[in-house]
Amino acid sequence: MLGIIRKDLIYTAGYMMMLPAMLLYFFATRRALDTNAVFMMTGYIYLVVLGSILITESNEMKNRGYAFLAAIPVTAGEIAAGKLLPIFLQVLLYSSIVHFSFKGFDVSPYWLVMAKKWLLLNALVAMVLSSFIYWLVFSLGFEKA
C-alpha cells in the first residue's frame, strides 16, 4: 500500500506546485480578503483533486497498473486506501496552507471566520467527491467513469 501511495504522490506533486503561484498572485494583487479571493482560493481545491485523479488514473491505464496490482497479493481495500490516501493528504496540505495564508490579508474577524468555513466546506466536498469518483472508477472502470 505504501508503494501505491508513494507512486500517486509522485505523479501529482507537480499539481501542488500550483499552490505557491496562486498564493503569490493573491498576495501581489489584493490587500483585503474579499469574496472573489475566498471563492478562488477555496475553489481551486477541486482542480487539485480532479487533476490529481485524472493524472493518476491515466497513468494507471497507460502503464497497465491495475493489471500489475491484480497479479500481486494485494487486497481491493488496500488498493482503494492507497488511491484515496494521497488525495486526502493533498486536500489536508492544501487546506492547511490556504488556512494559514488567510492571516496574511487585511480582514475583519467576521470575514476570516466565513473564509475558514468556506474552506472547510470545500475541502469536505472535495474529499467526498474524490471518494465517489474512485467508487465509480473501481466499479465501472476508468473509461466508463
Side-chain angles (χ1 to χ4, degrees), residues 1-11 60 68-69 72-75 77-86 89:
M1 183 169 91
L2 289 176
I4 297 171
I5 294 169
R6 184 178 62 233
K7 175 184 63 72
D8 287 353
L9 283 176
I10 289 171
Y11 280 149
E60 291 290 344
F68 173 71
L69 289 175
I72 61 175
V74 169
T75 65
E78 290 175 339
I79 294 172
K83 289 292 182 179
L84 285 173
L85 194 59
L89 289 174

Side-chain angles (χ1 to χ4, degrees), residues 89-101:
L89 289 174
Q90 285 180 340
V91 168
L92 181 66
L93 177 70
Y94 184 91
S95 300
S96 62
I97 290 172
V98 170
H99 177 270
F100 290 117
S101 71

Side-chain angles (χ1 to χ4, degrees), residues 15-57:
Y15 232 74
M16 291 303 287
M17 296 299 171
M18 180 176 68
L19 182 61
M22 178 195 70
L23 291 176
L24 286 174
Y25 168 74
F26 283 116
F27 285 134
T29 59
R30 289 177 168 68
R31 294 263 185 228
L33 189 64
D34 58 354
T35 55
N36 290 336
V38 170
F39 176 73
M40 291 175 69
M41 289 174 77
T42 61
Y44 280 160
I45 198 166
Y46 298 112
L47 291 176
V48 170
V49 167
L50 293 176
S52 299
I53 291 172
L54 289 175
I55 287 171
T56 57
E57 290 305 310

